[in-house]
Amino acid sequence: IAADATKKVQSTCAIITEEIIIRFRKEVQLRVDEAKSKFAHQMQHEISTLTKTHDTEKRLLEKEIHSLQDTTRLREKELEASQTQLSKASCDCEFEKTRS
């Protein structure tokens, strides 16, 4: 009778232990899935933030490039005007020399 009782207790313990293990594995898997989901969401948010920052910086750089191009064109026109004035002054000098 004691041997039968011992076997029944051992069998019951084995069943309970197996059930605990199954529940533990399910709980662990649930937590892993939640962590993966949370991590994926955080990464999507980070990527979105970085993309917005990149786009903003790109627009600012494009504005700066256009501004520099405008400044360059203005300086080229100023240089051209200065060269024209210099050339005219040089011609005037030559004309004055030949007149003298």
Side-chain angles (χ1 to χ4, degrees), residues 38-85:
K38 185 177 179 182
F39 179 76
H41 180 73
Q42 287 173 336
M43 288 301 101
Q44 287 173 343
H45 177 72
E46 186 69 22
I47 289 168
S48 176
T49 301
L50 289 172
T51 300
K52 287 176 187 173
T53 301
H54 170 74
D55 291 346
T56 301
E57 289 176 355
K58 183 179 175 185
R59 280 193 298 279
L60 289 172
L61 285 172
E62 287 171 347
K63 285 181 181 179
E64 183 67 22
I65 287 169
H66 289 304
S67 175
L68 289 171
Q69 288 171 335
D70 291 344
T71 302
T72 300
R73 280 191 285 276
L74 181 64
R75 296 293 179 254
E76 287 172 344
K77 287 180 183 177
E78 289 172 352
L79 179 60
E80 205 174 286
S82 294
Q83 288 173 335
T84 300
Q85 287 177 340

Side-chain angles (χ1 to χ4, degrees), residues 2 4 8 16-18 44 50 73:
D4 281 345
K8 283 184 181 182
I16 292 171
T17 301
E18 187 61 34
Q44 287 173 343
L50 289 172
R73 280 191 285 276

Side-chain angles (χ1 to χ4, degrees), residues 23-38:
R23 287 182 186 176
F24 179 75
R25 284 182 180 157
K26 285 181 182 178
E27 182 65 27
V28 167
Q29 189 60 50
L30 181 65
R31 289 184 185 185
V32 166
D33 292 345
E34 288 173 354
K36 282 181 182 178
S37 178
K38 185 177 179 182

